[in-house]
Amino acid sequence: MASDGVTDLAGGDILDVAEKIRKVDPSDMLGVLSSMPGQVRDAYSLPRPKLRIPRPASIVVLGMGGSAIGGDLLGACLLEKGGPQVIVNRDYDIPAFVDKNSVVFAVSYSGNTEETLSGFAQAKKRGCRIVTISSGGKLNELGEAAMHIALPKGLQPRAAVAWMLVPMLGVLEDMGVADVRTDVEEAAGMLEGMMKELAPSVPASKNLSKEVAAELHGTFPMIFSGPLMAPVAKRWRTQLNENSKMLAREDILPEMDHNDLVAWSEDPMAAHCAVILLRDDAEHPRVAMRMELTRKLGLDRARSVREVRSRGKGTLARLLSTMAVGDFSSVYLAVLRGVDPTPVRVIEKLKKQLAG
Ligand code: PA5
């Protein structure tokens, strides 16, 4: 195979050479990730619809893939604020309980995702209040103009997560469901600091995401967390899938102690896995204890185990700070693997085939 001059280099060397990174990441996914603090602030200032429902019976987010993860993060934010439960519907059909007392966010970056459009049509028939969020597409045409949040164009959906998450928080804040202004400001400030720590210019010896990427390279990554951080574990996995083009898996404690642990204690495949434990100061003390015991009883059989701890006070900052480490790691890992992090050709191919 012809040498590309990049994949020949050892991990740390590649990640510390700017032109090598540019060569593997020509669409500058790293640059887009670095814009996250600005995204958070700008997304909070986007014009948004005002809904008059004091306490919605349910909050439902319709979305898939990169457009759905914001719904999971929204659910985690509201959980700690005592808000209503958020159901993220990744399907064509919406649950029977969704009715005119539900607030529905139909979120699709492209605006053309068939599952989301199908859920939107069903929610409309049931008389739900539907906020549409897209950068264009059919969702933009079908939604009510006054209920639409228009996103900037030209991003990969997964790189626009803050654009999709923060306006939903804003809509719910305006409805009196939860105060988020301070959380948004804290998260943006926290991310600003992290962008400096995780930037490509910071050498591998001092850059957490470069270290993580080198550790995950050539392994089967397994991302574990407690329930609150579950959306972030999913995000790590999906970013490894789409940016690094790697198989990866996520699971949650305490549930995994009731099944997965058995395999960890016995399967020789454990030696090919690299474990990331996403830790959070607010995790249940028994979950914290389980993390330690689960390591000793099984996870320590993995090739490596690393803890990544959330930072910040508010849930939003804790979620996004932990997510940022994974986002950057996934792109550095793409560089180590010599794969362009941006395109997701097979998803586009599948969508074309489905469209006939
Ligand atoms: O990351 C991706 O490109 C996918 O996961 C998409 O987000 C998913 O296919 C849904 O498309 P859209 O975000 O345009 O609704």
Side-chain angles (χ1 to χ4, degrees):
M1 203 160 78
S3 163
D4 61 5
V6 172
T7 42
D8 298 344
L9 293 170
D13 290 344
I14 296 171
L15 295 180
D16 289 345
V17 181
E19 59 271 30
K20 301 294 181 192
I21 294 185
R22 269 197 297 276
K23 188 168 174 184
V24 186
D25 180 22
S27 308
D28 197 19
M29 179 61 90
L30 275 172
V32 178
L33 291 182
S34 309
S35 70
M36 184 74 79
Q39 270 194 33
V40 169
R41 288 205 175 92
D42 294 348
Y44 188 61
S45 317
L46 279 180
R48 53 189 187 236
K50 302 271 180 278
L51 272 71
R52 270 176 239 95
I53 318 170
R55 185 88 189 163
S58 60
I59 298 173
V60 183
V61 178
L62 313 176
M64 300 303 300
S67 292
I69 196 74
D72 296 323
L73 294 164
L74 176 74
C77 288
L78 293 193
L79 206 68
E80 283 210 332
K81 288 192 175 285
Q85 197 190 353
V86 174
I87 289 96
V88 184
N89 199 71
R90 292 174 163 92
D91 196 0
Y92 292 87
D93 295 324
I94 59 173
F97 65 79
V98 180
D99 62 15
K100 60 181 175 22
N101 298 313
S102 309
V103 170
V104 174
F105 292 99
V107 189
S108 166
Y109 185 77
S110 63
N112 290 324
T113 297
E114 62 177 40
E115 299 93 319
T116 312
L117 291 171
S118 161
F120 169 85
Q122 291 183 12
K124 202 167 166 189
K125 256 195 202 149
R126 294 200 203 158
C128 304
R129 251 75 49 109
I130 315 173
V131 176
T132 51
I133 304 181
S134 80
S135 67
K138 290 192 191 126
L139 203 54
N140 184 19
E141 291 158 24
L142 296 171
E144 252 181 74
M147 297 287 271
H148 185 67
I149 298 176
L151 304 177
K153 293 181 192 291
L155 295 167
Q156 284 291 323
R158 62 191 182 281
V161 60
W163 283 114
M164 295 187 261
L165 162 66
V166 177
M168 290 194 279
L169 284 166
V171 167
L172 294 172
E173 179 173 61
D174 297 342
M175 287 169 63
V177 170
D179 285 341
V180 297
R181 180 176 291 277
T182 333
D183 305 64
V184 168
E185 198 35 59
E186 187 208 357
M190 169 69 64
L191 288 170
E192 252 158 21
M194 291 191 71
M195 295 306 115
K196 289 182 195 136
E197 288 174 34
L198 305 176
S201 56
V202 179
S205 55
K206 295 186 184 140
N207 188 317
L208 176 58
S209 286
K210 288 185 180 179
E211 259 179 47
V212 169
E215 206 165 278
L216 299 187
H217 189 35
T219 73
F220 183 20
M222 300 265 179
I223 319 298
F224 301 128
S225 72
L228 184 76
M229 285 285 145
V232 183
K234 186 191 275 287
R235 169 72 172 189
W236 271 64
R237 192 261 294 167
T238 55
Q239 291 288 73
L240 291 169
N241 295 154
E242 295 190 68
N243 292 340
S244 328
K245 278 74 179 164
M246 269 179 98
L247 290 172
R249 180 178 160 263
E250 96 266 10
D251 210 333
I252 306 171
L253 278 94
E255 172 63 18
M256 65 169 280
D257 280 351
H258 299 270
N259 33 66
D260 211 56
L261 177 60
V262 179
W264 279 104
S265 70
E266 299 197 26
D267 191 340
M269 278 296 288
H272 301 283
C273 301
V275 171
I276 301 287
L277 288 174
L278 303 180
R279 306 295 307 264
D280 180 53
D281 286 349
E283 69 200 8
H284 193 289
R286 300 294 290 177
V287 169
M289 190 175 173
R290 280 172 178 277
M291 292 256 186
E292 306 306 329
L293 289 172
T294 304
R295 265 188 90 147
K296 286 193 191 125
L297 295 174
L299 299 185
D300 278 341
R301 297 181 67 244
R303 189 191 287 190
S304 61
V305 182
R306 173 187 289 271
E307 295 195 354
V308 175
R309 194 160 276 278
S310 64
R311 303 188 209 177
K313 192 163 156 277
T315 316
L316 185 64
R318 299 197 331 266
L319 292 165
L320 295 188
S321 62
T322 323
M323 186 182 98
V325 177
D327 282 2
F328 276 82
S329 302
S330 70
V331 179
Y332 290 134
L333 197 40
V335 174
L336 291 179
R337 288 164 60 78
V339 293
D340 184 346
T342 298
V344 283
R345 292 193 186 93
V346 72
I347 299 181
E348 285 156 22
K349 187 171 170 186
L350 173 72
K351 286 181 180 177
K352 269 196 198 121
Q353 289 184 6
L354 283 164

